[in-house]
Amino acid sequence: MLEISVSLLSAKKEDLIPTLFYNLETAKIDYFHIDVADGKFVEKNNLEVMKECSLTLSHISNVGLDVHLMVENVEEIMDDYIPLEPKIITFHYEAIRDKERMMNIIEDIKDNGIQVGIAISPETKVQEIQEFLPYIHQVLIMTVVPGKGGQKFISEMLEKIKELKQMIFDNNLENLVIEVDGGINHETVKKVKSAGCDRVVSGSYITNSENYAESVKKLKEA
Ligand code: DX5
Ligand code: ZN
């Protein structure tokens, strides 16, 4: 069954309260997907809101945090999240690129007992991150341009998911998780699942729905 990581990016600021968190938790989501935006790597800046929100979640919820850093200065921002003991911290390849810096970040996150992921934006090919795959826990394939919720799924990305799945198989990396983020709904979820995805991020489809439990179930059972 697919795992569901719920993005809070499309929730209104006044909704980011324990009731929303509690309702999502009882809808049996697998992770809270924390989209951190710095106003540089992406236009939006939600550094303060997301820090506050993650701190609250780390106190009141048993659901793991799946932190997605859409930021330029990964080393600085990840230090805000490490003390919260998230399950996963994912950062963008496009923000770093330099091999030594990439490896240092990967090791730092793992040394804190946290899983590490690399995210790739639509324009990046999976071959560009191939050398890092043996050292990480997940690859996050963006199926929209990172930055905001509620965008349309880019279907050309399905080939990229398939390519990564094949790469994982060819290199005996079966524990590596493929997470897909952007434009996921009850229809696109079926496509990404058959392409080989293990975990989907869903924001607006769930947080704009009337019944969270029902929408989560629809995605899980796709
Ligand atoms: C995009 C974010 C996503 C996104 C998901 O920049 O990384 O996590 O907000 O939202 P939906 O599901 O609405 O595309
Ligand atoms: Zn995200």
Side-chain angles (χ1 to χ4, degrees):
M1 211 188 298
L2 276 179
E3 286 194 311
I4 315 297
S5 186
V6 176
S7 163
L8 304 170
L9 207 56
S10 292
K12 289 184 226 61
K13 193 168 180 236
E14 56 274 21
D15 286 343
L16 292 175
I17 49 166
T19 326
L20 170 76
F21 303 153
Y22 175 77
N23 289 341
L24 286 169
E25 186 163 348
T26 51
K28 299 207 170 69
I29 66 172
D30 298 290
Y31 296 92
F32 280 107
H33 182 82
I34 307 295
D35 283 306
V36 184
D38 66 351
K40 293 182 206 147
F41 185 76
V42 290
E43 214 178 297
K44 192 184 176 89
N45 181 334
N46 66 8
L47 292 178
E48 288 314 309
V49 183
M50 278 304 147
K51 221 197 293 185
E52 214 181 293
C53 186
S54 305
L55 185 65
T56 308
L57 281 170
S58 70
H59 289 308
I60 66 168
S61 175
N62 293 317
V63 177
L65 301 185
D66 166 32
V67 177
H68 176 194
L69 299 179
M70 298 184 284
V71 305
E72 251 172 29
N73 195 340
V74 175
E75 292 91 338
E76 186 189 320
I77 309 292
M78 74 186 196
D79 283 345
D80 290 339
Y81 286 88
I82 287 172
L84 306 180
E85 300 178 0
K87 269 267 163 57
I88 314 161
I89 296 182
T90 296
F91 64 98
H92 270 265
Y93 170 69
E94 300 83 8
I96 309 293
R97 294 185 189 270
D98 174 72
K99 183 169 182 190
E100 200 182 325
R101 245 182 103 193
M102 289 287 294
M103 286 309 297
N104 285 338
I105 295 171
I106 291 170
E107 291 310 324
D108 269 6
I109 296 174
K110 289 203 288 195
D111 284 348
N112 283 283
I114 299 166
Q115 295 185 19
V116 58
I118 296 177
I120 51 174
S121 295
E123 74 277 10
T124 303
K125 296 190 170 49
V126 278
Q127 286 76 11
E128 296 179 63
I129 58 160
Q130 185 166 3
E131 61 181 318
F132 303 109
L133 301 186
Y135 308 103
I136 64 174
H137 299 90
Q138 80 163 1
V139 174
L140 189 167
I141 295 190
M142 292 299 304
T143 41
V144 297
V145 174
K148 47 181 189 288
Q151 303 182 76
K152 191 171 172 285
F153 179 82
I154 305 173
S155 46
E156 285 75 21
M157 295 301 117
L158 289 169
E159 269 315 303
K160 201 194 271 190
I161 302 169
K162 288 184 199 159
E163 231 177 307
L164 176 60
K165 190 76 182 171
Q166 187 63 44
M167 207 180 259
I168 288 174
F169 181 76
D170 293 343
N171 294 283
N172 299 314
L173 296 168
E174 276 76 15
N175 291 327
L176 189 65
V177 167
I178 304 181
E179 184 174 49
V180 173
D181 185 4
I184 296 298
N185 57 38
H186 61 287
E187 281 162 4
T188 54
V189 71
K190 294 185 186 135
K191 300 180 187 171
V192 297
K193 188 181 178 184
S194 59
C197 153
D198 307 292
R199 183 183 301 139
V200 290
V201 174
S202 175
S204 51
Y205 176 72
I206 291 175
T207 57
N208 292 347
S209 75
E210 296 283 311
N211 185 332
Y212 299 153
E214 206 174 280
S215 337
V216 170
K217 194 162 173 256
K218 267 194 195 149
L219 296 186
K220 276 200 179 186
E221 292 174 355

